[in-house]
Amino acid sequence: MYGKGLLKGGGTPESLVWLRKAAEQGLPDAQYNLGLMSYYGRGVTVDFSEAYCWLTLSAEGGSTDAASLLEELSTKISSQAREKGLLLAKSRRRPVPKMFKDKREPC
């Protein structure tokens, strides 16, 4: 819900707060949207390490869109930025809440 408005250039700072909270709770859709935002610089500063982190977590949660974008990002990112992204993902990893395990569409 919050992610769509932010990706289209709308939304509010409050939307980003709620999207980040959802991502931090392990919701793959929110993680995917934060990864997209960090990759393309929509609503946030471009940050390939952050993008790699959120896309990795989303892909681990079952998002095929995140996995595809992660492959694309892997061709553009430095090894240092990738390692930083993996460390961030490790520190943010949470189990996907059961009620969201079957949802695979972005917010």
Side-chain angles (χ1 to χ4, degrees):
M1 176 173 140
Y2 292 108
K4 284 185 180 179
L6 289 167
L7 288 170
K8 293 178 181 176
T12 64
E14 182 183 10
S15 299
L16 181 57
V17 169
W18 285 106
L19 182 63
R20 188 171 299 279
K21 285 180 186 240
E24 289 170 351
Q25 291 299 310
L27 301 178
D29 296 343
Q31 293 166 338
Y32 174 68
N33 282 319
L34 278 179
L36 275 175
M37 292 169 65
S38 297
Y39 184 59
Y40 292 113
R42 295 186 181 154
V44 297
T45 304
V46 171
D47 186 331
F48 285 167
S49 294
E50 280 288 319
Y52 201 88
C53 164
W54 292 120
L55 292 171
T56 296
L57 294 172
S58 182
E60 288 173 358
S63 171
T64 55
D65 290 335
S68 295
L69 191 56
L70 193 58
E71 282 185 42
E72 179 183 322
L73 178 57
S74 293
T75 66
K76 299 179 180 184
I77 194 172
S78 70
S79 59
Q80 293 88 356
R82 184 174 52 253
E83 287 302 315
K84 181 179 177 186
L86 289 172
L87 286 173
L88 287 170
K90 183 178 179 181
S91 71
R92 294 175 179 165
R93 192 166 281 121
R94 303 284 181 277
V96 177
K98 290 180 185 179
M99 65 189 301
F100 293 100
K101 284 190 177 184
D102 293 328
K103 293 191 175 193
R104 300 292 180 238
E105 296 298 317
C107 297

